[in-house]
Amino acid sequence: MKRLEQLKNSGNKAFVAYIMAGDGGLGRLKEQVQYLQGAGVTAIEIGIPFSDPVADGPTIEAAGNRALKHGVTLQKVLEEMKSWTFQVEIPLLIMTYLNPVLKFGVERFASECSKAGVSAVIIPDLPYEHKELVQPHTDKEGIKLIQLVTLTTTDVRLADILSGAEGFVYAVTVKGITGSRDEMSEDVKAFMRKVREKSPVPVYAGFGISKSSHVDMLRDDVDGFIVGSAIVEAFNDNRIQEIEPLINAVTATHSV
Amino acid sequence: MTKVKICGLKEEQHVKAAERADAIGFVFAPSKRQVTIEQATELAKHIPVDTDKIGVFVNASLEEIEDAIARVPLTMVQLHGDEPDELVGAIQVPVIQAFSIRRKEDTDQLKKSIADYVLVDAPGTDYRGGSGKVFDWSLLDGADIDPSRLIVAGGLKPENVHAAITQTTPYMVDVSSGVETDGRKDTAKIQEFIKQVKDDSMEQTIEKVGFFGKYGGQFVPETLMKAVKELEDAYNEVKEDPEFQKEYHHYLSEYVGREQPLTFAQRMTESLGGPKIYLKREDLNHTGAHKVNNAIGQALLAMRMGKRKIVAETGAGQHGVATATICALFDLECVIFMGEEDIKRQQLNVFRMKLLGARVESVTKGSATLKDAVNEALRYWVSNVEDTHYLIGSALGPHPFPTMVRDFQSVIGDETKRQILEKEGRLPDAILACVGGGSNAIGMFYPFIKDKDVQLIGVEAAGQGVDTDRHAATLTKGTEGVLHGAMMKLLQDDAGQVQEAHSISAGLDYPGIGPEHAYLADIGRVEYRSITDKEALDAVISMSRLEGIIPALESAHAIAEAEKQAKTMTADQILVICVSGRGDKDMATYAEKLEGLS
C-alpha cells in the first residue's frame, strides 16, 4: 500500500476498481483481475457477496445475488486467490460485510487474507467504534483496515477516524448507497477538500462515480477514485472495454 | 462503574458477605459500630486483597490515624470531624473527607476540600459519622462537583441506591444502616445492596454503549452513524423528560385506549386444570396489536428531532398499520417497505396502510419478507437520513433501537405487574410471550427481569418443525452474527449468509432475534421454546372457543406453549399470557387453513 502514498506524492490520481467476486462464476475472477491490471487500474477491490448488503444499491446487490447463486463464499474467494500464479502487480483489497467475516473467524480471516495476498480490507458495516473487533487481527498480518467517511460524518468523528486511518480513506460522495448517478452534489467538493486537508493518507472518492464528468469535477480535491457499479455492470454486460476511457481519464498525468 | 463501600462492619460473617464490595469501612470513632484496631486487624484478614480497607475517624490525631493505617493495614482514611487541611494533607493514604449537607450552600465545602474524595451525607443526629437519614441528592444538582471524587452516603438502601446512582453518578456509594436489621448488619441486605449497585451499573454500562453482554452495538454504514448517534442523544434526553412521558402516556390512554385489561381466562383455566391463567389484552389496542405502543413513542421522538418523514418496515403489516395510523394522526409523511410475499399474505393490511395515506413499497428482493423489507428501509434511511426517521418495529437494529423499543413496549409489563398485584396480591409464576424480533416479549418481560421467581418464557415459531429447514426458531437453532445493525443470534449458513425464516405467521418470520433476547437466553433468565404452525393454529381454535378471543397467529404461539406449560403447574399458581394482537388480519389464513372446521 506504500505505492498509494508514492502515487499521491507524484500528483497522479489513483483508480480503484471494484468487482463482485464470482459474478458470472468464480472462474471469471482471475480474468477480471488480469484485465483490470492490464488496463492500468491502481488497485482492485474484490467484493464478497452477502445476503443482506444494506450499503449497496441495486447493481451490486444484484451482482452479489448472482454470485451467491454460483455458491461463492468468502472462503472460496480466498482459496481462488491463493491459487493464482500470475504476477499480481497492484494491491488487492477485500470488501465484505462483517457477518461473513465473523462466521469465518476474524483471526482466520486476517491470516487467510494475508496468504491470499490481500493488502487491505473494507468492511462497510464495521464503524470506527467497533473496529477493535477486527483491527488487532489485521494489524498482526500487516493488512490495512480501510475507514470510510461520509458527508454525514461529524467533524469530531472525522478527526477521530482520520487520526487512525491507514492505507487510504474511502470518502463516500453521496448520502446514500452505492450506484451510478447522473449528478454530483456541489457540497461534495468542499467535503473532499476538508477530508483531504486532515487525512494522513490518500483520500479516494467512491459511491456513484461513473462518468468522466464526476472525475473532472473532483479531480483537484481527491487523490483517487473508486468505481464500482459501473464496472460491475460493464463486466456483466460484456462491455468492459467501455470503462477504459474512465480509467484513462483518472490515471492520465495531468499538467496542473 | 460505581463502586460500593459497606461501612461499620464488626463481624466476620458480615465482612465475608461483603466479598463483592469495593471497600469495607471500619469505624474507629465512638459509635455503636465502633471497632478497636485489633478487631479491625482480625476482620481485615477476611477481606480480598484488592478491596479497599477504609478507617473512619472523627477528630483523631495524626498519630492515631497512622497507627491504624500501619496495623490493620488501611488503604484509605475517612474523616468525619473538623480536621484541618494540614492533617488531611499529612495522611499518606488517599483521604475521604465527609460533609453533612443540609442546603445548597453547604456544597461549597465540597469544592474547597483538599481530600482525594468527598463524601456527602445527611446531617448526623446523636453522633457524628452519618445518621442514616436520607440525603437529598438534588442538593448536588448544579453544585459542579467532580463525580469522580464524589462518594454518596446517607440513607442508602437496596431499594433506593439505583436512583441515587442515576441522579448523582458518584465514584462510590457508601452504606451502613441501610444494610442493618434492628441495629445489626444483615447478610442478606449487604448482598442485595451490592447486587443492586453492581448489576445496575452493569446495566448502565450496557445501555451506554448499546450492548447487552456481547449482543447489540451499532453495526451500520458510516452514513447512518450520525443519525444513530443523534437518535441516541435525543432518546436519552426524552427518557428522563416528564413532559415527553406525559405526552406519550396521554396518547396511549386517549388514542390507543390503554390501560388494557388483564383478563382472567376462566374457561381456559378450567379446561387445562392447572394454574390460574390471565391474558394481557394487547389485542384490544387501537390498530389491533402492541405495535402501536412503540409507533407513538418513536413518532413523538421523531417530531422532537424535527423530522416529519417516517420510513418503516413491516412483516405481517401490523407495524406498518400502526405506523401509518400514527403518521396520519400527526400528519407525517409515511413510507412502508413490505416484502412481496407478505403483501400477498396480508392484503387487508396493505389496503389499510394505503387508506391511512401511507406509501407501501413492495420489496421483491431476497426472500421478499420482513428481513428484506428491513434491508430496503435501511437503504431508504441511508439515502434520506437528514429529514427521515426510521421507525423500526421490533426490538432490533442498531443501538438505541433495541433499548428504545423495549422501553416503549414496557408499558405492557408495567401494567401487567400492577394489575396482577391488585388482583392476586402477588406476582405470577410464569409469563409467556411470542418472539419474532421480540418487541412484545421484551416489553412484557423487562419489568419482571429482576423478579427471579417469575419464570419468563419466550415462544419462537418452529414453522414446519425446528428439524426442517422451514422455521424461524432463531434462539433454538441460530448462531451469533451481525444483521441489521446489531450483533444477535441469526439463522445463517456456514458462509455467514443469512437464511430465510419460515412461519405461518408473517410477524414471526424473521431470521434474527433482538440482542437483549439473545443476552437473556445466554444468561438463562428467559427460556425460549418453539411452537409449530400446526400447534399455533390449534391454539387459535381453542382460544377462540374457550374465551371468545380470536388471537393473532403470532400470539397463538404463546398460547399454544402456555397450554403445555400449564400442564406442569398447579392450581395455586398463576400464569400470564401476552395476547399481543387480535386475529382479524389473519382471517384469510384461518379460513384457508382451517377449512372444514366444525
Side-chain angles (χ1 to χ4, degrees), chain A residues 206-228:
Chain A
F207 280 38
I209 307 287
S210 58
K211 298 177 167 185
S212 303
S213 62
H214 299 151
V215 171
D216 292 341
M217 183 180 160
L218 292 177
R219 164 175 290 281
D220 296 338
D221 306 311
V222 298
D223 301 306
F225 296 88
I226 302 165
V227 179

mmCIF file of all heavy atoms in Angstrom, chain A residues 206-228:
data_model
loop_
_atom_site.group_PDB
_atom_site.id
_atom_site.type_symbol
_atom_site.label_atom_id
_atom_site.label_comp_id
_atom_site.label_asym_id
_atom_site.label_seq_id
_atom_site.Cartn_x
_atom_site.Cartn_y
_atom_site.Cartn_z
ATOM 1 N N GLY A 206 -15.573 7.608 -3.525
ATOM 2 C CA GLY A 206 -16.303 6.445 -4.024
ATOM 3 C C GLY A 206 -17.795 6.583 -3.831
ATOM 4 O O GLY A 206 -18.248 7.509 -3.163
ATOM 5 N N PHE A 207 -18.565 5.702 -4.360
ATOM 6 C CA PHE A 207 -20.039 5.653 -4.374
ATOM 7 C C PHE A 207 -20.538 6.639 -5.433
ATOM 8 O O PHE A 207 -20.518 7.843 -5.231
ATOM 9 C CB PHE A 207 -20.678 6.039 -3.021
ATOM 10 C CG PHE A 207 -20.697 4.944 -1.988
ATOM 11 C CD1 PHE A 207 -19.633 4.075 -1.865
ATOM 12 C CD2 PHE A 207 -21.780 4.784 -1.132
ATOM 13 C CE1 PHE A 207 -19.641 3.069 -0.901
ATOM 14 C CE2 PHE A 207 -21.798 3.780 -0.159
ATOM 15 C CZ PHE A 207 -20.727 2.927 -0.041
ATOM 16 N N GLY A 208 -20.992 6.114 -6.513
ATOM 17 C CA GLY A 208 -21.624 6.987 -7.504
ATOM 18 C C GLY A 208 -20.693 7.577 -8.539
ATOM 19 O O GLY A 208 -21.080 8.449 -9.297
ATOM 20 N N ILE A 209 -19.426 7.130 -8.570
ATOM 21 C CA ILE A 209 -18.508 7.630 -9.600
ATOM 22 C C ILE A 209 -18.671 6.752 -10.841
ATOM 23 O O ILE A 209 -18.375 5.567 -10.809
ATOM 24 C CB ILE A 209 -17.033 7.545 -9.129
ATOM 25 C CG1 ILE A 209 -16.837 8.231 -7.781
ATOM 26 C CG2 ILE A 209 -16.103 8.097 -10.200
ATOM 27 C CD1 ILE A 209 -16.880 9.718 -7.793
ATOM 28 N N SER A 210 -19.187 7.330 -11.906
ATOM 29 C CA SER A 210 -19.398 6.503 -13.097
ATOM 30 C C SER A 210 -19.040 7.239 -14.389
ATOM 31 O O SER A 210 -19.073 6.663 -15.452
ATOM 32 C CB SER A 210 -20.858 6.042 -13.143
ATOM 33 O OG SER A 210 -21.717 7.162 -13.153
ATOM 34 N N LYS A 211 -18.723 8.527 -14.275
ATOM 35 C CA LYS A 211 -18.520 9.293 -15.510
ATOM 36 C C LYS A 211 -17.265 10.144 -15.420
ATOM 37 O O LYS A 211 -16.854 10.557 -14.329
ATOM 38 C CB LYS A 211 -19.678 10.278 -15.708
ATOM 39 C CG LYS A 211 -21.015 9.656 -15.867
ATOM 40 C CD LYS A 211 -22.034 10.774 -15.982
ATOM 41 C CE LYS A 211 -23.357 10.187 -16.468
ATOM 42 N NZ LYS A 211 -24.313 11.234 -16.706
ATOM 43 N N SER A 212 -16.735 10.462 -16.588
ATOM 44 C CA SER A 212 -15.576 11.351 -16.636
ATOM 45 C C SER A 212 -15.912 12.712 -16.033
ATOM 46 O O SER A 212 -15.066 13.364 -15.440
ATOM 47 C CB SER A 212 -15.126 11.552 -18.086
ATOM 48 O OG SER A 212 -14.839 10.298 -18.655
ATOM 49 N N SER A 213 -17.161 13.123 -16.164
ATOM 50 C CA SER A 213 -17.536 14.439 -15.618
ATOM 51 C C SER A 213 -17.423 14.455 -14.098
ATOM 52 O O SER A 213 -17.064 15.464 -13.496
ATOM 53 C CB SER A 213 -18.945 14.822 -16.060
ATOM 54 O OG SER A 213 -19.874 13.871 -15.565
ATOM 55 N N HIS A 214 -17.735 13.311 -13.437
ATOM 56 C CA HIS A 214 -17.554 13.224 -11.985
ATOM 57 C C HIS A 214 -16.083 13.385 -11.633
ATOM 58 O O HIS A 214 -15.721 14.058 -10.674
ATOM 59 C CB HIS A 214 -18.025 11.858 -11.447
ATOM 60 C CG HIS A 214 -19.476 11.583 -11.680
ATOM 61 N ND1 HIS A 214 -19.968 10.307 -11.836
ATOM 62 C CD2 HIS A 214 -20.539 12.410 -11.760
ATOM 63 C CE1 HIS A 214 -21.277 10.358 -12.019
ATOM 64 N NE2 HIS A 214 -21.646 11.630 -11.973
ATOM 65 N N VAL A 215 -15.251 12.740 -12.444
ATOM 66 C CA VAL A 215 -13.814 12.771 -12.196
ATOM 67 C C VAL A 215 -13.290 14.188 -12.371
ATOM 68 O O VAL A 215 -12.539 14.701 -11.534
ATOM 69 C CB VAL A 215 -13.094 11.801 -13.168
ATOM 70 C CG1 VAL A 215 -11.576 11.974 -13.075
ATOM 71 C CG2 VAL A 215 -13.499 10.363 -12.876
ATOM 72 N N ASP A 216 -13.728 14.844 -13.441
ATOM 73 C CA ASP A 216 -13.271 16.208 -13.702
ATOM 74 C C ASP A 216 -13.644 17.139 -12.552
ATOM 75 O O ASP A 216 -12.856 17.976 -12.134
ATOM 76 C CB ASP A 216 -13.896 16.737 -15.005
ATOM 77 C CG ASP A 216 -13.353 15.976 -16.209
ATOM 78 O OD1 ASP A 216 -12.278 15.341 -16.060
ATOM 79 O OD2 ASP A 216 -14.006 16.000 -17.271
ATOM 80 N N MET A 217 -14.839 16.940 -12.043
ATOM 81 C CA MET A 217 -15.316 17.836 -11.002
ATOM 82 C C MET A 217 -14.506 17.701 -9.711
ATOM 83 O O MET A 217 -14.244 18.684 -9.026
ATOM 84 C CB MET A 217 -16.786 17.511 -10.731
ATOM 85 C CG MET A 217 -17.411 18.427 -9.714
ATOM 86 S SD MET A 217 -19.139 17.979 -9.466
ATOM 87 C CE MET A 217 -19.414 18.751 -7.883
ATOM 88 N N LEU A 218 -14.104 16.461 -9.378
ATOM 89 C CA LEU A 218 -13.455 16.237 -8.083
ATOM 90 C C LEU A 218 -11.935 16.081 -8.170
ATOM 91 O O LEU A 218 -11.266 15.962 -7.157
ATOM 92 C CB LEU A 218 -14.047 14.986 -7.417
ATOM 93 C CG LEU A 218 -15.504 15.077 -6.964
ATOM 94 C CD1 LEU A 218 -15.956 13.733 -6.408
ATOM 95 C CD2 LEU A 218 -15.681 16.161 -5.899
ATOM 96 N N ARG A 219 -11.421 16.090 -9.387
ATOM 97 C CA ARG A 219 -10.007 15.757 -9.588
ATOM 98 C C ARG A 219 -9.055 16.488 -8.633
ATOM 99 O O ARG A 219 -8.158 15.886 -8.050
ATOM 100 C CB ARG A 219 -9.634 16.051 -11.047
ATOM 101 C CG ARG A 219 -8.134 16.113 -11.314
ATOM 102 C CD ARG A 219 -7.851 16.276 -12.783
ATOM 103 N NE ARG A 219 -8.184 15.064 -13.535
ATOM 104 C CZ ARG A 219 -7.412 13.975 -13.592
ATOM 105 N NH1 ARG A 219 -6.296 13.944 -12.904
ATOM 106 N NH2 ARG A 219 -7.764 12.943 -14.297
ATOM 107 N N ASP A 220 -9.285 17.783 -8.454
ATOM 108 C CA ASP A 220 -8.336 18.567 -7.661
ATOM 109 C C ASP A 220 -8.514 18.371 -6.155
ATOM 110 O O ASP A 220 -7.703 18.837 -5.366
ATOM 111 C CB ASP A 220 -8.481 20.060 -7.987
ATOM 112 C CG ASP A 220 -8.120 20.332 -9.435
ATOM 113 O OD1 ASP A 220 -7.383 19.493 -10.015
ATOM 114 O OD2 ASP A 220 -8.589 21.339 -9.985
ATOM 115 N N ASP A 221 -9.581 17.706 -5.774
ATOM 116 C CA ASP A 221 -9.888 17.633 -4.346
ATOM 117 C C ASP A 221 -9.675 16.252 -3.744
ATOM 118 O O ASP A 221 -9.883 16.056 -2.551
ATOM 119 C CB ASP A 221 -11.340 18.052 -4.108
ATOM 120 C CG ASP A 221 -11.614 19.424 -4.707
ATOM 121 O OD1 ASP A 221 -10.809 20.329 -4.427
ATOM 122 O OD2 ASP A 221 -12.595 19.562 -5.458
ATOM 123 N N VAL A 222 -9.315 15.286 -4.570
ATOM 124 C CA VAL A 222 -9.102 13.930 -4.048
ATOM 125 C C VAL A 222 -7.825 13.339 -4.628
ATOM 126 O O VAL A 222 -7.262 13.879 -5.591
ATOM 127 C CB VAL A 222 -10.286 12.991 -4.391
ATOM 128 C CG1 VAL A 222 -11.574 13.496 -3.762
ATOM 129 C CG2 VAL A 222 -10.446 12.839 -5.889
ATOM 130 N N ASP A 223 -7.395 12.228 -4.050
ATOM 131 C CA ASP A 223 -6.191 11.555 -4.536
ATOM 132 C C ASP A 223 -6.519 10.388 -5.457
ATOM 133 O O ASP A 223 -5.624 9.776 -6.023
ATOM 134 C CB ASP A 223 -5.371 11.042 -3.349
ATOM 135 C CG ASP A 223 -4.981 12.183 -2.420
ATOM 136 O OD1 ASP A 223 -4.388 13.155 -2.906
ATOM 137 O OD2 ASP A 223 -5.312 12.114 -1.217
ATOM 138 N N GLY A 224 -7.805 10.079 -5.550
ATOM 139 C CA GLY A 224 -8.164 8.975 -6.424
ATOM 140 C C GLY A 224 -9.654 8.709 -6.412
ATOM 141 O O GLY A 224 -10.409 9.370 -5.690
ATOM 142 N N PHE A 225 -10.045 7.752 -7.230
ATOM 143 C CA PHE A 225 -11.457 7.433 -7.376
ATOM 144 C C PHE A 225 -11.690 5.934 -7.257
ATOM 145 O O PHE A 225 -10.847 5.134 -7.679
ATOM 146 C CB PHE A 225 -11.955 7.913 -8.749
ATOM 147 C CG PHE A 225 -11.889 9.401 -8.903
ATOM 148 C CD1 PHE A 225 -10.724 10.021 -9.372
ATOM 149 C CD2 PHE A 225 -12.976 10.191 -8.558
ATOM 150 C CE1 PHE A 225 -10.648 11.400 -9.492
ATOM 151 C CE2 PHE A 225 -12.909 11.578 -8.678
ATOM 152 C CZ PHE A 225 -11.741 12.185 -9.149
ATOM 153 N N ILE A 226 -12.842 5.588 -6.670
ATOM 154 C CA ILE A 226 -13.224 4.182 -6.583
ATOM 155 C C ILE A 226 -14.462 4.008 -7.450
ATOM 156 O O ILE A 226 -15.449 4.727 -7.276
ATOM 157 C CB ILE A 226 -13.536 3.787 -5.130
ATOM 158 C CG1 ILE A 226 -12.322 4.067 -4.235
ATOM 159 C CG2 ILE A 226 -13.944 2.309 -5.061
ATOM 160 C CD1 ILE A 226 -12.630 4.064 -2.759
ATOM 161 N N VAL A 227 -14.401 3.105 -8.381
ATOM 162 C CA VAL A 227 -15.537 2.893 -9.280
ATOM 163 C C VAL A 227 -16.029 1.460 -9.119
ATOM 164 O O VAL A 227 -15.255 0.513 -9.258
ATOM 165 C CB VAL A 227 -15.136 3.172 -10.746
ATOM 166 C CG1 VAL A 227 -16.322 2.934 -11.679
ATOM 167 C CG2 VAL A 227 -14.617 4.596 -10.882
ATOM 168 N N GLY A 228 -17.302 1.337 -8.791
ATOM 169 C CA GLY A 228 -17.856 0.017 -8.519
ATOM 170 C C GLY A 228 -18.956 -0.375 -9.473
ATOM 171 O O GLY A 228 -18.736 -1.123 -10.427
#
